[in-house]
Amino acid sequence: MYNRQKAVDYANQWWNHANPAFPRFEDDCTNFISQCLLAGEAPMTGYPDRVKGWWIKGKSWSYSWTTANALFWHLQNSKKGLQGRRVSSESELELGDLIFLDFTGDGRVDHSLIVTSIINGVPYVNAHTTNSYHRLWTYEDSSAYTPNIKYYFMHITVTP
């Protein structure tokens, strides 16, 4: 079972610096999101296949651990363990759920965010790369924002 509060607590603790127990990347958003999911007790699967599953072990990890587009597709297609179900609106998200951003609208996910608070039905998120704490989910203040942006809302689930 996914512990949403533990995932959010981790996101709030580590939003502005790197946890030395994990590698750090120049584009660190999905590595950070994966750490949050792991802190929320999401089970890792697929080791040692870097293409399948979601995992980190030592100095090796799956593509879905570190790449927003790979995590997005993994969550939608996973049949066991960590999974995601796309929902149509930000209003359907809960704490610990994810939002994926496709800044240019080209169909490839560029960035990942975790919902860390919901105020009056509006999600706020934490993220890495440009470290963010309780930032408005729309990311309209981002230098990467374009009018073509697409948002993908992902409700996190875990199955045996």
Side-chain angles (χ1 to χ4, degrees), residues 21-138:
F22 293 93
R24 172 85 176 170
F25 300 90
E26 184 175 334
D27 292 326
D28 198 52
C29 65
T30 306
N31 176 44
F32 172 68
I33 296 302
S34 288
Q35 291 172 42
C36 295
L37 293 168
L38 185 62
E41 302 173 2
M44 293 188 281
T45 58
Y47 176 81
D49 188 337
R50 296 189 78 190
V51 177
K52 294 182 181 176
W54 171 81
W55 57 270
I56 188 169
K57 186 170 184 171
K59 294 185 180 191
S60 187
W61 47 82
S62 63
Y63 296 124
S64 60
W65 184 274
T66 59
T67 307
N69 197 57
L71 179 59
F72 173 73
W73 288 107
H74 169 75
L75 290 170
Q76 291 188 107
N77 295 309
S78 176
K79 303 292 185 222
K80 65 177 183 174
L82 178 63
Q83 299 174 309
R85 178 177 47 85
R86 281 187 51 191
V87 295
S88 59
S89 167
E90 75 280 358
S91 66
E92 298 176 69
L93 296 173
E94 298 176 38
L95 294 177
D97 283 341
L98 305 181
I99 300 174
F100 291 93
L101 307 180
D102 170 1
F103 285 118
T104 62
D106 66 358
R108 183 167 177 81
V109 170
D110 303 300
H111 197 45
S112 53
L113 318 166
I114 185 167
V115 176
T116 53
S117 68
I118 299 173
I119 301 170
N120 297 324
V122 178
Y124 290 81
V125 297
N126 288 13
H128 269 197
T129 303
T130 299
N131 295 349
S132 301
Y133 178 77
H134 293 234
R135 186 175 183 177
L136 182 63
W137 70 271
T138 60

